[in-house]
Amino acid sequence: TKADAPTAVPSTSTIASHAMVRTIVTVLTGCAAVASAFVPSTKPSMGAPVRSRRATTTTMGVPTDTPFANPDHDLLVRAAKGEECERTPVWLMRQAGRYMADFRKYSDNYPFRVRSETPEIATELSLQCWKAYGMDGVIMFSDILTPLPAMGIDFDVIKGKGPVISNPPRCAADIAKLTHLEDPGAQLPFVGETLRNLRKETEGRTSLLGFVGAPFTLAAYSVNGMANKHCFETKKMMSHDPEVMHAFCDHLATNIGEYACHQIEEGAQVIQFFESWAHHLSPDQFSEFAKPYANKAMAIVKAKHPDVPVIYFANGGSSYLERQTDMTSDSVCLDWGVDIAAARKTLGPKTPVSGNMDPMILFGPEASIRKEVRSIIDGAGGPGAHLLNLGHGVMQGTPEEAVGYFVDEAKTYTK
């Protein structure tokens, strides 16, 4: 039986009711299970050498009620806390993405919010890459904008354009109308169900990450209405109505902090804050509009869940890394625009780091990928001294086997 996704594409109105989609996914999952029993995997998997594409491997398709003794299951969590590990743990931002053919069976047929807000689909998409390549962590398939509708800011994802905000808040009256994320379990029930599903699948096998958008980034996206290379509307507000921007960021800080706590309470073992629009900020703007509100949100998390590590990633923020030395996070994720050894000197020896390979390296030959992985690990202090990641998300079109080389080199390059 061939487990292809159906060709009929539900309209966005089906977001409110996922019964039909759930039935289809159940059938797909069953077909895939039957097919995989007869088709050997040729993808690199957990701990398996990937020196040749002809290598045969075994994937992680073990029933959830089967005991699975993986001594490395908490390696990522320990590294995010700053503990020295036996080897360097590895995961990739945007590891669940369109570079995978199996992922595209869903993305080509279902709108983004159907995929991210239907727990069965979101669970499947979160697990695909881990089953294929054995990263040391699974991150929930979702979006940083997911909690916004619960606060009164609606969005849709338009193919070719990305997320579009239908009602961008641009004045004090708009900010005053915003609602609070008072009960994430009721307002965003699919998030909790997805995380519970994932925790059941990953328990004792690998670590589970949740994530949120940092307050400034969510405010900037909302005010601007969509991605814009100049961040035009947001910067106008920062200049002409800074008190409105501060009020918006403060509102988001409280709600995003609670949303991150909800993810932990539903099973996430690590939380990453994404300051995706940090590259639009000067150092002083970062200190005024981004840093205090990210710290406020992260402080809410640390007050409620002090033992859960929090990672802060400012995309493009390496130009003012010295201003991130006192973030409320446990760890700082680095973009690819900074030498990791230099970054460690700037942040100090007590700040755990993750990162930071240029995603474009994955388009190169296997030898180059493996060499760069070793170079970054050495620059960070050697095997086990940091958490390996890219310096940005996996790009569409990345060869699947390149991700396998990346993960495998991290796992086999030991002390």
Side-chain angles (χ1 to χ4, degrees):
T1 304
K2 191 173 182 181
D4 286 334
T7 55
V9 181
S11 66
T12 54
S13 64
T14 59
I15 293 170
S17 174
H18 300 311
M20 179 190 73
V21 178
R22 292 182 183 210
T23 302
I24 294 171
V25 173
T26 301
V27 174
L28 278 172
T29 305
C31 292
V34 173
S36 64
F38 297 98
V39 181
S41 172
T42 57
K43 295 178 181 178
S45 66
M46 188 173 193
V50 200
R51 302 296 175 182
S52 167
R53 291 184 63 183
R54 293 172 293 178
T56 56
T57 61
T58 304
T59 62
M60 303 243 338
V62 182
T64 54
D65 58 352
T66 300
F68 190 87
N70 176 16
D72 292 342
H73 70 93
D74 63 345
L75 205 62
L76 187 150
V77 176
R78 291 192 283 126
K81 290 180 177 181
E83 297 179 21
E84 188 167 342
C85 301
E86 306 80 62
R87 63 166 176 82
T88 299
V90 55
W91 73 284
L92 301 86
M93 289 181 279
R94 214 180 292 150
Q95 65 185 28
R98 286 178 289 174
Y99 72 96
M100 292 190 71
D102 287 344
F103 183 97
R104 293 194 297 274
K105 290 179 181 179
Y106 290 87
S107 63
D108 289 347
N109 289 283
Y110 298 111
F112 177 83
R113 288 188 64 182
V114 170
R115 284 179 277 135
S116 64
E117 298 180 16
T118 304
E120 290 85 352
I121 295 181
T123 300
E124 168 65 18
L125 296 179
S126 303
L127 293 172
Q128 284 177 342
C129 51
W130 171 64
K131 290 178 178 178
Y133 307 113
M135 295 86 169
D136 290 300
V138 168
I139 188 166
M140 171 181 64
F141 177 73
S142 186
D143 193 85
I144 61 172
L145 304 185
T146 291
L148 291 184
M151 288 181 261
I153 304 170
D154 204 13
F155 78 95
D156 200 0
V157 180
I158 310 299
K159 196 165 187 177
K161 287 186 176 181
V164 175
I165 306 291
S166 59
N167 55 336
R170 291 178 179 168
C171 65
D174 291 338
I175 305 305
K177 292 179 193 174
L178 297 177
T179 54
H180 289 274
L181 194 59
E182 295 177 346
D183 186 356
Q187 293 168 287
L188 304 165
F190 50 87
V191 172
E193 186 175 345
T194 298
L195 284 167
R196 292 191 298 273
N197 290 347
L198 291 172
R199 187 60 184 268
K200 181 180 178 183
E201 292 284 344
T202 59
E203 186 68 40
R205 302 173 180 181
T206 193
S207 301
L208 177 59
L209 298 100
F211 72 95
V212 296
F216 169 77
T217 288
L218 294 179
Y221 219 123
S222 300
V223 171
N224 216 66
M226 63 176 65
N228 180 277
K229 64 180 180 180
H230 299 299
C231 204
F232 186 72
E233 294 293 341
T234 303
K235 289 205 164 183
K236 276 173 57 180
M237 180 181 284
M238 289 162 59
S239 297
H240 292 279
D241 298 299
E243 68 284 352
V244 176
M245 177 58 73
H246 282 297
F248 192 10
C249 288
D250 190 64
H251 179 91
L252 288 167
T254 301
N255 287 277
I256 291 305
E258 294 297 338
Y259 177 50
C261 289
H262 173 67
Q263 291 187 27
I264 293 168
E265 289 150 13
E266 295 290 5
Q269 297 166 288
V270 179
I271 294 289
Q272 179 151 316
F273 276 71
F274 282 86
E275 196 73 86
S276 304
W277 283 29
H279 60 291
H280 287 295
L281 297 172
S282 69
D284 285 347
Q285 289 171 336
F286 171 77
S287 294
E288 180 179 357
F289 292 103
K291 182 177 178 178
Y293 302 107
N295 277 341
K296 179 177 180 177
M298 293 188 290
I300 291 171
V301 178
K302 297 308 295 182
K304 286 191 174 182
H305 303 283
D307 295 329
V308 175
V310 173
I311 303 171
Y312 180 70
F313 173 59
N315 176 40
S318 57
S319 63
Y320 41 79
L321 201 58
E322 71 283 353
R323 302 197 183 207
Q324 298 175 50
T325 57
D326 59 346
M327 299 301 294
T328 309
S329 61
D330 299 279
S331 177
V332 172
C333 183
L334 304 167
D335 64 42
W336 58 269
V338 63
D339 176 78
I340 197 165
R344 297 223 75 164
K345 289 180 182 178
T346 300
L347 292 169
K350 294 184 178 180
T351 301
V353 299
S354 58
N356 69 330
M357 195 176 90
D358 180 354
M360 290 299 295
I361 299 292
L362 294 177
F363 287 87
E366 177 183 354
S368 297
I369 295 169
R370 292 183 181 276
K371 180 181 178 181
E372 187 66 13
V373 168
R374 293 191 298 271
S375 175
I376 289 171
I377 290 175
D378 289 341
H386 94 300
L387 174 54
L388 182 66
N389 204 323
L390 300 177
H392 200 281
V394 183
M395 298 184 66
Q396 186 176 358
T398 297
E400 290 195 46
E401 62 268 22
V403 173
Y405 302 145
F406 178 80
V407 173
D408 179 68
E409 192 59 38
K411 290 190 161 191
T412 55
Y413 188 46
T414 57
K415 298 177 182 179

